Amino acid sequence: MILTVTLNAALDVTYLVDRLRPHTSHRVDTTHRRAGGKGVNVSRVLAALGRETVVTGLVGGPTGDLLRADLATAGLRDELLTAAGESRHTVTVVSREDGDATVFNQPGPPVAPREWAAFRAHFTRLVGHAEAVVLSGSVPPGLPADVYGRLLSTARAAGVPTVLDTGGTALRAALPARPDVVKPNAAELAAATGTPATGTAAAVDALRAAGARSVVASLGPAGLRAHTPDGAWRAVPPEHLGGNPTGAGDACVAALAAGLADGRPWPDVLRDAVALSAAAVVCPVAGDVDTATYRRLRTAVRLEDLHAPDTHR
């Protein structure tokens, strides 16, 4: 079982428009509403691959009820904990013309200290049954800066490997807890390290020096760059696919978590991660993947060996 944690779960609303134009009105012909947040999307992808997965995190209010109902409809096991605040909404506008996505993220409801204590106890009970844990997304107000670090420490004490996908203060504060894999995108990588976007290799090494055992940086159409105790690679998709890129990172995390749980070699895991990310882009809603595209691309991903294993362990 792979456990996904979404502390800031949301009702995701996606609008598809022919073309996104500032300063004018738009006619929306297609709308999708579903339970979301990065960890929820990861669980959707894992379920599509036939993996057992459990969703946990915090939800509240009528929106929280909608989230639970949607997870039940999707057949995803819900171990969410109820909080007092109303769960947030996110809005994504996808332009068919160029496949670009514009995302509006609410901050989420404040979490009270007693709710955080209850969730920590809840997480401790769940993590002992997991083969891997995914900690994804933003942190709602009221939680400590090192919230992910504390959950990572609990997972490590239980002997469960971890994948962390977050940014900003939450990422930097979690690194001393030694996550097994950190998956920043290019913007998160630059922000966390203060390194220009052209300095990807130096930024990845900086995260490893700060505590991450492995770093897999997602670089959009350029693929992935991974630095691990076993070596470093660049993995590049064999072709460019247009669509909605908002779920690509979550699909990548799903592949990393599955590979970590199975103990597979890094080159195989990275090929899967690139192919699954591309298979998410061609779908209109984050959390979905086109399995035919995934199967077609996974053997065609180009893998470049960058250097031998290093000393950041």
Side-chain angles (χ1 to χ4, degrees):
M1 182 270 283
I2 297 175
L3 178 66
T4 67
V5 177
T6 309
L7 295 173
N8 214 3
L11 183 67
D12 283 349
V13 181
T14 302
Y15 297 134
L16 272 68
V17 298
D18 289 333
R19 179 186 179 192
L20 182 61
R21 294 174 295 173
H23 315 301
T24 187
S25 61
H26 294 75
R27 185 173 299 280
V28 178
D29 54 28
T30 305
T31 303
H32 300 278
R33 288 182 174 85
R34 68 193 313 185
K38 294 176 74 64
V40 173
N41 293 337
V42 172
S43 278
R44 289 187 188 276
V45 175
L46 288 168
L49 297 177
R51 305 296 298 237
E52 182 184 358
T53 183
V54 172
V55 176
T56 193
L58 296 163
V59 295
T63 304
D65 294 339
L66 293 174
L67 297 179
R68 288 184 184 276
D70 185 68
L71 291 175
T73 299
L76 293 174
R77 180 179 158 193
D78 158 17
E79 289 287 351
L80 294 162
L81 202 64
T82 300
E86 177 84 14
S87 292
R88 66 188 181 126
H89 290 70
T90 67
V91 176
T92 301
V93 182
V94 179
S95 167
R96 290 192 180 92
E97 180 183 62
D98 55 13
D100 194 23
T102 301
V103 184
F104 301 88
N105 291 317
Q106 293 180 340
V111 178
R114 67 181 181 280
E115 294 170 335
W116 164 232
F119 180 78
R120 286 192 70 182
H122 182 62
F123 176 79
T124 301
R125 289 190 293 271
L126 291 172
V127 74
H129 302 285
E131 293 177 296
V133 174
V134 173
L135 305 163
S136 291
S138 61
V139 176
L143 291 178
D146 65 343
V147 54
Y148 281 135
R150 299 186 193 192
L151 297 178
L152 287 164
S153 296
T154 300
R156 179 171 293 278
V160 180
T162 52
V163 182
L164 176 67
D165 181 16
T166 190
T169 301
L171 171 58
R172 292 190 296 271
L175 293 174
R178 303 279 290 159
D180 289 289
V181 183
V182 171
K183 203 277 321 157
N185 59 32
E188 290 164 344
L189 192 61
T193 62
T195 305
T198 54
T200 301
V204 168
D205 283 338
L207 289 189
R208 295 200 65 217
R213 295 193 72 247
S214 299
V215 177
V216 179
S218 57
L219 307 175
L224 302 175
R225 184 179 184 117
H227 290 209
T228 82
D230 300 321
W233 297 268
R234 182 183 292 111
V236 182
E239 60 188 78
H240 176 69
L241 298 173
N244 178 8
T246 56
D250 300 329
C252 174
V253 170
L256 297 176
L260 200 61
D262 295 343
R264 298 174 63 206
W266 272 107
D268 292 347
V269 174
L270 294 173
R271 288 188 182 96
D272 269 4
V274 169
L276 205 56
S277 298
V281 170
V282 299
C283 294
V285 184
D288 287 348
V289 289
D290 184 88
T291 54
T293 298
Y294 165 60
R295 289 191 297 269
R296 178 172 63 83
L297 296 181
R298 63 189 302 194
T299 58
V301 172
R302 180 166 56 86
L303 203 68
E304 178 185 352
D305 194 339
L306 298 177
H307 57 68
D310 59 32
T311 58
H312 291 298
R313 290 180 180 270

